[in-house]
Amino acid sequence: ARVASPDAAPSVTGGGAASPTAPAGPTGASSAGGAPAAASPSPASLRSADEATVTAFVEAARTAFPDAGWRVESYNRAVPRIRNLLDRVDTDLMLIGIAALLVGGLGIAEAVRGYLASRMASIATLKCVGGGVNTVLWTYLFQILLIGGAGIVAGCALGAAVPPLAAGLTGQLIPVQLDASIHAAPLLRAALLGLAILLAFSLRPLLLAGAVRPATLFRGYVAGGGNGLTPAGRVLVGTGFAVLAGLVWLFTPDARLAFGFMAGCAGCFAVFRVVAWGLRAGARRAPHAGNPSVRLGLASIHRPGAPTVNMVFALGLGLTALVGIAQVERNLSASLARDLSRDAPAFFFINVLPDQVAEFEALGNAPGVTRIDKAPMVRGRIVRIKGVPVQDVPVAPEAQWAVRGDRGLSHAATPPPDTEMTAGGWWPPDYSGPPTISLSDDLARGFGVTVGDSLTFNILGREVTATIANVRKVDWMTFQLQFAVLFAPGLLDRAPATWVVTAYGDGAGMDALYRTVTAAHANVTAISMREILGEVRVLMERMGVMFRAMAGVMLATGLLVVAGAILADRQRRIYDAVIYKVCGATRRDILLALVTEFLTTGLVTGLFSAGTGTLAAWAAVRGLLKLPFAVYPGVVAGTVAACVAFALVFGLAGTARALKEKPAPYLRNE
């Protein structure tokens, strides 16, 4: 466990957590540190061989000292913001994996339908000798569970083998050693989700097969034919999907994110269902083309039993994820490029003592230095919001960083340059009244406060309640010297403070400045913002590779679904090709009909996938990241072209046999 005192150094903008010490975990060693004390000038740590001991110590310390000026964290939560980021990445990857499984569920439904179509005679025999719906359902459900169970076991085994295999390959991507051990919880989670998807997507074709009359089965089973599901069947299928939704909710730590994911999936299914319905309706009502092969291709889109719906779903969902991730990554990269190109400080210098400030001001005249900014900083912690302890206030997730530990506080008589106030007004330069603060708009929204409300701070062991005089807009992405909380003159003027100095410039002058400061002032910490932003860009690129890979898996799953849907419909296509040949059609005519069908389906699906993916990216960039959004036409065009190419390649590959079959063997069987 780690105990951080109020004297731990905060971030340079007042936006970060207290600087951590090396987190202590179950290492078997015992440190010499004593018990934590509120007045301790540096963090203390407890090491224990037993993780339960660490957990018990953390809970006991929090219970015994609820209002202390320090906080205690276990080793796995030593840096909450990094831990939260890792948890969010884990959740996002899991949701992308679930989305890929949902696309695979369409393939399961189509595979079950195709398998049942090949077992028409067996199902008809069962029905004729007295077998009911339950007999058909349980007979084939047992087979599907055996096959699906084998697939789930194989998938979990391959997933468990990935970390050891990838441990030697990820050193260039992530700066930490990958844990190659096998964890049971993720495997169990994956197995339960796989089983739920298997059942949810296979129940409908099973129930439809069991409900069709024997005479209809002997004439030829058509998926989705007949009168559809009975009310009891609809309840059973709905229960299967409800269980699946419940597992997603259970395995996603953020309830809002789980709800948004399920709503997004439902919305995508609804959108592409409408797209498929519109495509079939449009093909049915399209003017008759002069070329008979084109007419046959359009008719194949809306004929009974056509795989149009599943093709649109599978390609649409996979490409929506791919274009959305690509647009988000492009916008993030562009935003970072803008931040790097504009006038951001080259260095932050923190822990500057008051008697050193004049020397830093003189450095503004050094070669290559264009500007020096400075501000005093006192460390403090928010303990109450509108008189309510922070632990009892529902602080928004995006503002929770401000109440996790000590903040950098400053004071100013005049507003910072280019200040845009959204509520209230600035105090007079000679203000001498009760404690008053200016609050950033993101914290005001996250805390649910406005002008006239109060915040209580623990500053150097003393609690101070201040009234919010104004709320101002702060753009943290400018990397200027800014503070979330600014006090009016009076309270902090004589408080012991250190100073934060920012230096602007470029080239060799900045390197010389760095060497001068670090050689002359051992107590000052120099932070290179350009190096940090460069590392952030590299990290974002690496994360983009990871998310694109997951989207690629989702798209590959969709392509397999498309191939499965076409193969499941192979017998019908062979039969159609035989009829066409008997009527005088050549291979070229049949090929043109197939190209027309798949080209139309791919083009329409690609256009809507580009639209839905771009809309999802806009919601993520503008709504979640609060960054400017731009549409990149190259991504959109690439999506449409890829969709058309995939539809043509997989469609023609799956129907190649229909072009080769001779009519005579099939005509003899009729």
Side-chain angles (χ1 to χ4, degrees):
R2 177 177 61 86
V3 181
S5 74
D7 293 303
S11 72
V12 294
T13 61
S19 64
T21 58
T27 63
S30 176
S31 71
S40 176
S42 61
S45 62
L46 166 73
R47 295 180 185 269
S48 171
D50 184 7
E51 185 174 353
T53 302
V54 175
T55 303
F57 174 82
V58 170
E59 295 301 324
R62 289 174 178 172
T63 302
F65 304 99
D67 299 319
W70 43 265
R71 73 183 191 279
V72 58
E73 299 286 356
S74 60
Y75 73 96
N76 59 355
R77 301 289 302 184
V79 187
R81 299 183 76 181
I82 295 179
R83 179 72 262 172
N84 291 341
L85 173 63
L86 294 176
D87 290 343
R88 185 59 178 265
V89 170
D90 175 70
T91 300
D92 291 344
L93 290 175
M94 184 191 72
L95 292 179
I96 293 176
I98 294 175
L101 283 176
L102 291 176
V103 175
L106 298 174
I108 292 173
E110 197 62 38
V112 171
R113 183 185 74 84
Y115 175 68
L116 293 175
S118 69
R119 305 298 297 171
M120 278 192 307
S122 299
I123 296 174
T125 302
L126 284 174
K127 301 279 286 192
C128 289
V129 298
V133 176
N134 289 337
T135 303
V136 175
L137 179 64
W138 288 110
T139 298
Y140 290 97
L141 179 61
F142 181 71
Q143 298 179 37
I144 291 168
L145 287 176
L146 282 179
I147 298 172
I152 291 172
V153 171
C156 289
L158 289 174
V162 168
L165 294 175
L169 303 176
T170 56
Q172 300 297 324
L173 295 178
I174 54 178
V176 295
Q177 181 65 36
L178 186 67
D179 181 10
S181 58
I182 296 176
H183 298 274
L187 296 177
L188 178 61
R189 184 172 64 185
L192 288 175
L193 286 169
L195 181 61
I197 287 175
L198 176 67
L199 291 174
F201 282 91
S202 61
L203 282 175
R204 187 176 187 276
L206 280 170
L207 292 171
L208 286 174
V212 178
R213 297 178 180 180
T216 304
L217 289 170
F218 280 120
R219 286 195 297 268
Y221 172 68
V222 178
N227 297 322
L229 293 175
T230 63
R234 292 192 186 96
V235 171
L236 188 59
V237 173
T239 302
F241 280 98
V243 170
L244 176 59
L247 289 176
V248 173
W249 190 283
L250 178 65
F251 294 148
T252 307
D254 189 335
R256 292 194 306 172
L257 189 61
F259 177 78
F261 172 78
M262 289 186 287
C265 287
C268 283
F269 272 88
V271 166
F272 287 109
R273 178 76 180 183
V274 172
V275 170
W277 176 85
L279 177 60
R280 298 181 66 171
R284 187 182 299 112
R285 294 175 173 80
H288 290 294
N291 192 313
S293 297
V294 176
R295 290 203 302 269
L296 287 175
L298 294 177
S300 297
I301 294 175
H302 63 80
R303 63 177 171 79
T308 305
V309 174
N310 277 351
M311 284 185 64
V312 171
F313 273 151
L315 277 177
L317 290 176
L319 287 168
T320 293
L322 196 62
V323 72
I325 290 174
Q327 292 271 30
V328 169
E329 185 194 4
R330 286 288 193 89
N331 278 276
L332 283 177
S333 298
S335 179
L336 284 174
R338 286 192 299 269
D339 294 333
L340 284 171
S341 62
R342 60 184 171 181
D343 189 22
F347 286 101
F348 272 83
F349 299 106
I350 62 175
N351 295 329
V352 178
L353 299 178
D355 59 357
Q356 297 172 330
V357 173
E359 299 178 46
F360 277 87
E361 289 179 332
L363 292 174
N365 298 321
V369 180
T370 59
R371 176 174 144 204
I372 292 288
D373 290 341
K374 64 185 187 302
M377 184 173 65
V378 177
R379 294 184 285 273
R381 181 164 56 96
I382 301 173
V383 294
R384 290 184 181 84
I385 299 174
K386 294 193 288 189
V388 180
V390 291
Q391 61 268 25
D392 299 329
V393 177
V395 178
E398 60 270 16
Q400 289 179 357
W401 58 267
V403 296
R404 290 197 187 106
D406 300 332
R407 299 298 101 207
L409 311 175
S410 188
H411 56 89
T414 58
D418 302 322
T419 295
E420 179 184 345
M421 284 183 285
T422 59
W426 199 263
W427 45 78
D430 56 351
Y431 180 83
S432 60
T436 302
I437 60 172
S438 172
L439 190 66
S440 64
D441 59 343
D442 56 338
L443 291 194
R445 287 192 304 270
F447 292 169
V449 296
T450 187
V451 174
D453 293 329
S454 65
L455 296 180
T456 302
F457 299 83
N458 185 310
I459 303 175
L460 303 177
R462 172 189 171 192
E463 289 195 0
V464 176
T465 299
T467 303
I468 300 173
N470 61 74
V471 176
R472 57 197 160 80
K473 188 175 182 179
V474 176
D475 183 6
W476 298 109
M477 296 304 293
T478 62
F479 302 103
Q480 305 292 318
L481 182 53
Q482 303 178 106
F483 291 86
V485 179
L486 282 174
F487 275 78
L491 179 68
L492 301 182
D493 292 357
R494 293 180 297 277
T498 58
W499 286 71
V500 180
V501 178
T502 58
Y504 293 77
D506 203 354
M510 289 294 98
D511 296 334
L513 176 67
Y514 174 80
R515 291 192 296 269
T516 300
V517 170
T518 54
H521 306 290
N523 61 294
V524 175
T525 301
I527 301 173
S528 173
M529 290 305 299
R530 297 194 181 277
E531 289 183 5
I532 291 175
L533 291 175
E535 291 295 329
V536 169
R537 172 185 283 177
V538 172
L539 178 62
M540 295 302 300
E541 290 175 352
R542 292 172 179 174
M543 291 180 65
V545 170
M546 178 174 58
F547 281 104
R548 282 200 307 274
M550 291 297 297
V553 170
M554 185 175 175
L555 179 59
T557 304
L559 295 178
L560 292 176
V561 171
V562 170
I566 294 172
L567 290 175
D569 201 48
R570 182 177 56 187
Q571 292 300 322
R572 181 181 294 276
R573 290 188 181 276
I574 293 175
Y575 186 84
D576 291 344
V578 168
I579 299 299
Y580 295 157
K581 290 179 180 180
V582 169
C583 295
T586 64
R587 286 189 178 184
R588 180 180 178 278
D589 296 329
I590 299 174
L591 181 62
L592 180 57
L594 294 174
V595 168
T596 300
E597 176 187 354
F598 297 129
L599 182 64
T600 304
T601 302
L603 182 61
V604 172
T605 305
L607 289 173
F608 277 91
S609 298
T612 53
T614 300
L615 182 63
W618 172 83
V621 174
R622 293 291 297 169
L624 295 178
L625 302 176
K626 311 296 183 185
L627 295 174
F629 179 79
V631 177
Y632 290 87
V635 175
V636 176
T639 301
V640 177
C643 191
V644 172
F646 289 149
L648 282 175
V649 171
F650 281 82
L652 294 177
T655 55
R657 183 180 171 185
L659 299 174
K660 301 176 182 178
E661 297 296 333
K662 297 183 180 299
Y666 291 90
L667 294 176
R668 284 196 294 267
N669 292 331
E670 288 296 322

